[in-house]
Amino acid sequence: MLSDIITPDLFAAAVRIATPLALAAIGGTICERSGIVNIALEGMMLVGAFAGVVGALATGSAWFGVLCAILAGALLALIHAFASINLRTDQVVSGTAINILALGLTGFFMEVIYGHPGTTDSAPRLMPVFNISGPTEGVLGTIWTWINGVFLSFTPIVYIAIFIAIFGQWALFHTRWGLRLRALGEHPRAADTVGISVVRGRYSAVLMSGALGGLAGANLTLEQVGSFTEDMTNGRGFIALAANIFGRWTPGGSYLASLLFGFADALQIKLQLFRDVIKIPSQFFLMLPYVLTVVVLAGVVGRAVAPAAVGKPYEKG
Amino acid sequence: MASPLLELRNITKRFPGVLANDSVSLKLNKGEIVALLGENGAGKSTLMNVVYGLLSPDGGEVFVDGEPVELKSPRQAIDLGIGMVHQHFMLIEPLTVTENIVLGNEPTTAGVIDIRKARADVVEISERYGLAVDPDAKIIDLPVGAQQRVEILKALYRGARILILDEPTAVLTPQEVKELFGVVRQLVTEGLAVVLITHKLEEVMASSDRVVVMRDGKVVGETKPSDTDMSGLARMMVGREVVFRIEKKPTVCGDTVLNVRNLKVLDDRHLEAVKGMTFDICAGEIVAIAGVSGNGQTQLIEALTGLRKVEEGTISFLGNDITHSSARQTIDAGVSHVPEDRHRRGLVLEFDLAENMILGDHRKPPFTKRGIMDPQAIAQITEERVEEYDVRSPSIRIAAANLSGGNQQKLVLAREVGRNPELLVAAQPTRGLDVGAIEFVHSRILAERDSGKGVLLVSLELEEVQSLADRILVVFEGRIVKEFAAGQASDEELGYFMTGGGGTKLTENSDTEGGESNDA
């Protein structure tokens, strides 16, 4: 039975499920490193998912949909940036408001554009990047099935996410952008006194997180599901936040943490297929990713230290 | 004559309700150290923040090298060769020394930081000016003296010709102060000009070429240290005569108030911060803990006042064991606490004076009866104490945040002493206060002692320790390494033991030749 559970499929599913979480989590990392809490990732993802479908349906191009998703996420993030940087609103309140706004906006435009609530028509989708046929027989066949399944079976945004995680990890610790970003979240006044613009730095970080949230949404609709359903993000934005913390506010860590959540989810889906054999109600498996989130956030994995100035509005002078 | 390096003409800066700088003019020449002397709130820091581009003035002009300049941001100030070391260091703790120094001016190729060049540059200037730092250390692991060197290097790395030091000695030991002034002297001989913002008279006398005195936002005088003395400067600064030497009656040591035995306390990182301290305080005695910040003082105070768990050892107060008492039980037993951070621990800044005045006593009569507060009783007692402790405020109904630092501290003192405790634990009671307020706080602490109460004073200011204490306990790395009776030790001797000169073991002989540090 174990060989029925542990299949290339399981790992491929883990990576697929991890992708939107990872993109949003890296968005959260960038945002919080600049000193702004972003609990609106959920809403940014949702708006991105919807805008992606709208763009793809209108033009017939899935890639145009991706662009729309990124822009929509960034646009929503602009509200958060204005509220938390210019107006110095409590960032959690602003984020909550944006999440509610996103839910309302997508529902409203659903009615306006498509004339009905619920789910949209199927949109054009992004297809797997590689389509290589390899040996199917014998030991070579098994090895090929694993390699193809675990590494080569994915759609473009999955690879983009991996690239962003690796590049982001490097950039955070080796570039001017990364150093300044870290400075902003730890001690904005210190950054200000050496001539770094806090406002500009934080705006760009929040917008980037919005764009990544939107891209995460595009992955959901244009690569995974193929259509938009109201509230389809289903808490992924919050799991992404947990992944960011678990990943200790680093892009690479966020990706790996998302992979863990993705694996938990993939495993529970797989285990549901075996409910006649395992005899545990499937609801318990469904809980797995969420229990993991709670465990992680409760600090079982050791205390992570957040950027010192995160959540605090910056006032000049 | 060449135009001055920096000239300010008629700088005026208003804040809501305050005229912080009232038409201030100042000249700074190449190769000189000018002390900007004044009490807190005199407008010194405001003026320098204008020069550094952090605040924009409402009127007046700034000239650099005789050219009028407009300073809208620190960036412009940096580009003009102005560097500032802020009173609260502008360092990012989790980053390295090198990262902090180059931040904002990073050597890069296509956005990628050339960390090797950055490190080499830091090593180069650090050697050139004799400011030793480890370029790879994280700021969080450095002592304050080293952090200050990093701040100075930051300014030099940016090519500063004008260096503004805002209260640079507040956190330093006497030796570090000496070193700092040595470095500053060397900088000016290399052609820099230095503005030293301070309210400490000895520093002005010891280190400056010229003194500009500010009071209430105005320049009230200018002189040379050689043309005046401390009391002359003090008179200019405060506007009246100031008493320096505190008249102290000899101690009459009564019963033991506090008895601490082999106390061990952990810090937030679960490392042992207090490593077995033993001491007594008797009624009518001021015992001072002298030490460099971060040698267990904070944890000791927190343990004594019920704010932190005691790992080992005992604390007994008037014969009762309070080792594991809560903060509430400790207050009720008769221990009052003037915390080192009045903003975080001493006051609720958003609360008004009356609300702050009853914190900790808020559930007791006459303030509260059967769970209901009595606003009249609260107001009456607050008015009395505000009067007695000279807390200057237009009303007891305004938020504590609106008071000046000195008045905030008097408010804390009014509450803690007004409770009539048997032991007063005062942690850095005069931090950031000016001469007038310090005088007042000191006189109240002495009055407590004279009325037969025990006082534990924790201070980083040796002057304060020396003038108030009947007995001085020097702490280093969580241990009491030396004990002196009042007047027995010089500042240098204290500094020697504070920085580990005597090893970490308590020695019995009183000479300053300490043995090897043998940390058992």
Side-chain angles (χ1 to χ4, degrees), chain A residues 242-243 245-247 257 260-261 290-302:
Chain A
I245 294 168
F246 189 16
L260 182 70
F261 288 127
Y290 301 98
V291 169
L292 199 60
T293 310
V294 171
V295 168
V296 164
L297 284 182
V300 171
V301 291

Side-chain angles (χ1 to χ4, degrees), chain A residues 212-238:
Chain A
L212 286 168
L215 186 62
N219 167 269
L220 276 183
T221 47
L222 299 175
E223 290 191 341
Q224 295 197 21
V225 183
S227 61
F228 176 84
T229 305
E230 282 179 61
D231 199 18
M232 70 184 297
T233 44
N234 198 19
R236 282 184 181 80
F238 295 103

Side-chain angles (χ1 to χ4, degrees), chain A residues 12-87:
Chain A
V15 174
R16 273 200 305 275
I17 296 167
T19 297
L21 298 178
L23 283 168
I26 295 168
T29 298
I30 292 172
C31 201
E32 298 213 339
R33 281 282 185 172
S34 85
I36 305 281
V37 174
N38 190 355
I39 64 159
L41 285 167
E42 174 82 5
M44 292 167 190
M45 212 192 285
L46 189 66
V47 165
F50 180 68
V53 168
V54 172
L57 277 175
T59 62
S61 159
W63 280 111
F64 184 76
V66 172
L67 185 68
C68 291
I70 291 172
L71 289 178
L75 204 65
L76 204 62
L78 193 62
I79 302 176
H80 188 51
F82 182 71
S84 34
I85 300 166
N86 298 84
L87 303 179

Side-chain angles (χ1 to χ4, degrees), chain A residues 174-176 180 183 187 192-193, chain B residues 52 74 91-92 104 106 111 113:
Chain A
H174 292 94
T175 65
R176 172 164 55 198
R180 291 183 176 189
H187 197 337
D192 198 3
T193 56
Chain B
Y52 195 62
L91 297 172
I92 296 152
E106 310 85 352
I113 296 177

Side-chain angles (χ1 to χ4, degrees), chain B residues 390-404:
Chain B
D390 190 32
V391 183
R392 284 177 218 162
S393 165
S395 149
I396 61 162
R397 288 297 165 205
I398 70 162
N402 296 323
L403 299 183
S404 72

